[in-house]
Amino acid sequence: MPEANPFESLQEQIGDAGEFLDVGDDVLERLKHPERVLETTLSVEMDDGTIETFKAFRSQFNGDRGPYKGGIRYHPGVTRDEVKALSGWMVYKTSVVDIPYGGGKGGIVIDPSEYSEGELERITRAFAAELRPFIGEDKDVPAPDVNTGQREMNWIKDTYETLENTTAPGVITGKALENGGSEGRVEATGRSTMFAAREIFDYLDRDLEGATVAVQGYGNAGSVAAKLIDDQGADVVAVSDSSGAIHNPDGFDTRAVKDFKNETGSVTGYDEATEEFSNGDLLTMDVDLLVPAALENAVDEDLARDVEADVVVEAANGPLTPDADDVLTERGVTVVPDILANAGGVTVSYFEWVQNRQRFQWTEERVNEELEAVITDAFDAMTDAHEDAGTPNLRTAAYVVAVQRVVDAYDGSGSWP
Ligand code: GLU
């Protein structure tokens, strides 16, 4: 089976929501395409003096509700269509949690593990210089994504501010605390995943305490989600990364697994594991809760038939293909969609941007409390839409809420000749 194109998946998800909305096909069509995509080739000097070129993208999908917002990923698998899809998911993510942003996304086609820190800094600054005319506190605000973090955000902020001869910390979020970052930002994606898990178990009248959990991916999203879900009293019995999966039916010490991965580079080889298997085996384990926290298309139609979890909470962006979604809906598996479950990252990015603009720092307690309110309100709006509109699943319900808000903003703006 050919791999699903994430951009086509996004368009299908918007179309599915359209069936439950009183929105014309012309308006809906507009919401299925990015407003613009920057494609650029970065030429950067390597440590050995040679020049290497890298393809990079920034997609600005929709700005009806505010500045474009979304991360920048460094990955060899980055494509134009992937960035377009990810930027569209950001539009509906910022909308479903009702923060005043549109959606954007960027990426460089690169395996960052193959480059020195100095090379990565030059590559990042080259991209920031290309992005400079298109970004800004009120235009487009990038952030971290797969394989990028505080270090890269600091470099982008510094490049932008130097070239613009100003201070504008709100041009980018996910910075280190010392460079204008926010308390709670690093853990925010995993924290909203935990809130989403807690809310859905409550909605389904099930206990998260004592529930068995499998987490695919042990990066920033997966490892924090695992830790915080573990703190809710659940048993994280399996975790994985690109090296493979580890299992222990009694549950892992999720913090110790993270320490082990930090030391060795992977979760496999951890001595408390009773067995090791593949990511595919982890995704089809008989657990109460499955948290895909890696990349798109982790579960396709075929694999979906073998998924044995009762509940899936998506920490990654786009981990289920639309065909997989259909199979899970048919099989009665409840899925809390990415645009809500992992929206903690962009929500705390919003708090960071607000703090930057106010030149006023919030406490971690305030950040986490406000995040909880945003995610639980969005969860309630999604389940209300599910019940009121009778959507087949929660993803379509989340899109019904999100698309309607974008349409309302567009309608309210009037037309431009
Ligand atoms: N990359 C994250 C996401 O996919 C965060 C984006 C942001 O903070 O702007 O939601």
Side-chain angles (χ1 to χ4, degrees):
M1 196 166 30
E3 179 143 332
N5 176 330
F7 183 55
E8 288 168 14
S9 302
L10 164 82
Q11 294 186 318
E12 194 170 330
Q13 289 157 349
I14 298 166
D16 288 346
E19 316 240 325
F20 296 88
L21 289 165
D22 185 18
V23 174
D25 285 346
D26 50 344
V27 174
L28 218 51
E29 190 59 27
R30 192 184 158 265
L31 299 180
K32 292 183 183 172
H33 303 275
E35 290 175 12
R36 65 190 69 80
V37 183
L38 169 74
E39 179 173 337
T40 176
T41 307
L42 310 172
S43 302
V44 182
E45 188 172 330
M46 298 292 103
D47 291 344
D48 66 2
T50 59
I51 304 287
E52 203 166 321
T53 54
F54 302 89
K55 198 165 268 309
F57 306 93
R58 180 77 182 169
S59 169
Q60 298 180 331
F61 200 95
N62 181 287
D64 292 340
R65 300 182 67 260
Y68 308 103
K69 185 84 191 81
I72 293 176
R73 70 170 53 176
Y74 289 3
H75 196 275
V78 164
T79 64
R80 190 182 175 96
D81 270 3
E82 183 200 38
V83 172
K84 280 160 64 176
L86 289 160
S87 68
W89 286 325
M90 288 308 303
V91 175
Y92 302 103
K93 189 183 301 189
T94 55
S95 181
V96 80
V97 291
D98 208 5
I99 56 176
Y101 285 136
K105 198 77 158 207
I108 305 182
V109 186
I110 185 175
D111 178 353
S113 67
E114 291 178 359
Y115 296 88
S116 71
E117 178 156 0
E119 288 169 339
L120 288 171
E121 178 168 357
R122 292 195 294 282
I123 293 161
T124 303
R125 288 190 187 274
F127 192 31
E130 282 298 321
L131 288 174
R132 186 191 56 80
F134 305 100
I135 62 175
E137 288 181 312
D138 293 310
K139 287 200 253 179
D140 182 352
V141 183
D145 197 77
V146 174
N147 291 332
T148 59
Q150 295 181 337
R151 184 180 67 170
E152 290 75 16
M153 301 307 110
N154 290 349
W155 289 332
I156 295 173
K157 168 181 176 271
D158 183 66
T159 308
Y160 180 86
E161 291 185 333
T162 304
L163 294 174
E164 292 282 320
N165 188 28
T166 190
T167 55
V171 68
I172 193 148
T173 59
K175 303 175 293 290
L177 216 49
E178 304 73 31
N179 298 70
S182 175
E183 297 283 359
R185 175 63 185 83
V186 172
E187 298 215 323
T189 308
R191 187 171 295 276
S192 68
T193 305
M194 177 274 283
F195 288 140
R198 194 191 68 189
E199 293 301 301
I200 194 63
F201 271 67
D202 188 47
Y203 183 74
L204 297 172
D205 258 331
R206 296 179 60 132
D207 270 336
L208 186 53
E209 198 176 335
T212 52
V213 185
V215 180
Q216 182 232 6
Y218 221 61
N220 184 43
S223 66
V224 176
K227 176 180 83 171
L228 297 177
I229 291 171
D230 186 10
D231 289 349
Q232 295 287 308
D235 292 327
V236 178
V237 295
V239 304
S240 72
D241 61 18
S242 52
S243 72
I246 56 174
H247 179 216
N248 183 331
D250 295 330
F252 284 111
D253 175 340
T254 48
R255 288 171 174 83
V257 176
K258 182 64 179 168
D259 291 343
F260 179 79
K261 183 174 162 73
N262 286 346
E263 275 162 35
T264 65
S266 48
V267 296
T268 49
Y270 184 60
D271 58 5
E272 298 290 316
T274 53
E275 59 177 330
E276 295 195 358
F277 42 56
S278 69
N279 268 281
D281 290 335
L282 177 140
L283 292 163
T284 52
M285 276 179 75
D286 186 5
V287 284
D288 298 308
L289 170 63
L290 172 65
V291 179
L295 295 170
E296 302 92 73
N297 296 344
V299 182
D300 64 8
E301 184 179 0
D302 283 347
L303 201 71
R305 291 188 213 288
D306 297 328
V307 166
E308 292 208 38
D310 300 323
V311 178
V312 178
V313 175
E314 297 181 327
N317 290 310
L320 311 186
T321 67
D323 289 341
D325 239 356
D326 291 344
V327 171
L328 294 182
T329 300
E330 208 176 286
R331 295 187 49 223
V333 177
T334 304
V335 177
V336 183
D338 46 6
I339 59 168
L340 188 140
N342 73 30
V346 73
T347 302
V348 176
S349 277
Y350 167 55
F351 298 157
E352 179 175 332
W353 182 79
V354 166
Q355 294 169 72
N356 289 157
R357 311 201 71 174
Q358 295 181 329
R359 301 292 204 259
F360 180 80
Q361 197 77 18
W362 297 5
T363 61
E364 186 175 358
E365 197 183 10
R366 176 168 178 195
V367 169
N368 290 344
E369 267 174 30
E370 303 239 11
L371 173 62
E372 182 167 10
V374 167
I375 299 299
T376 52
D377 283 357
F379 187 90
D380 292 346
M382 173 182 72
T383 48
D384 285 353
H386 178 54
E387 289 164 22
D388 295 348
T391 60
N393 56 40
L394 295 176
R395 188 184 318 277
T396 300
Y399 275 89
V400 163
V401 173
V403 171
Q404 186 66 57
R405 287 190 181 138
V406 179
V407 169
D408 289 346
Y410 176 64
D411 279 350
S413 301
S415 55
W416 186 251

